[in-house]
Amino acid sequence: MTSLLFEPLTLPNGTVLPNRICKAAMEENLAVQPGQLPGEKLFSLYQQWADGGAGLILSGNVMVDPSALTGPGGVVLQNGTDLAPFKHWAKLAKSGGGQFWLQISHPG
């Protein structure tokens, strides 16, 4: 008998997760300075989590305003931000077959 934990899960919006394992959102504080972008430390960490086979990986805080960070190494995504590092981050985080969702954060 296979555990339900390893069975696909269809969400109400139709998204299918390959299993029911979720890497919860954590605040990593590993953004590249200056710029507050995802870089090698985040890439490596999320690649390891993807290799673990989680069906859903939630990012740590991704702030929309650089003047309101929750920590010294917070990631910022705002109008005009170079999307290339974010696309690479997403590609690595999804490489194990699961979903990768950004936790978009704003302090107010």
Side-chain angles (χ1 to χ4, degrees):
M1 181 173 145
T2 304
S3 169
L4 283 178
L5 186 61
F6 300 102
E7 295 293 320
L9 175 65
T10 302
L11 301 178
N13 69 357
T15 298
V16 178
L17 303 178
N19 59 55
R20 297 155 191 246
I21 299 170
C22 175
K23 192 290 289 175
M26 294 187 268
E27 189 170 1
E28 298 94 10
N29 281 312
L30 295 174
V32 173
Q33 306 286 336
Q36 304 304 122
L37 298 172
E40 290 305 318
K41 289 181 180 178
L42 276 174
F43 298 157
S44 176
L45 182 61
Y46 278 78
Q47 179 69 68
Q48 290 178 52
W49 282 329
D51 291 346
L56 174 61
I57 295 175
L58 300 174
S59 77
N61 291 327
V62 176
M63 302 305 289
V64 297
D65 184 342
S67 68
L69 297 176
T70 58
V75 174
V76 176
L77 176 60
Q78 61 181 337
N79 190 29
T81 298
D82 180 8
L83 295 180
F86 289 89
K87 290 178 180 182
H88 185 63
W89 188 18
K91 180 179 177 181
L92 293 173
K94 296 186 300 182
S95 66
Q99 294 274 321
F100 174 57
W101 296 355
L102 287 181
Q103 177 188 202
I104 303 297
S105 302
H106 190 282

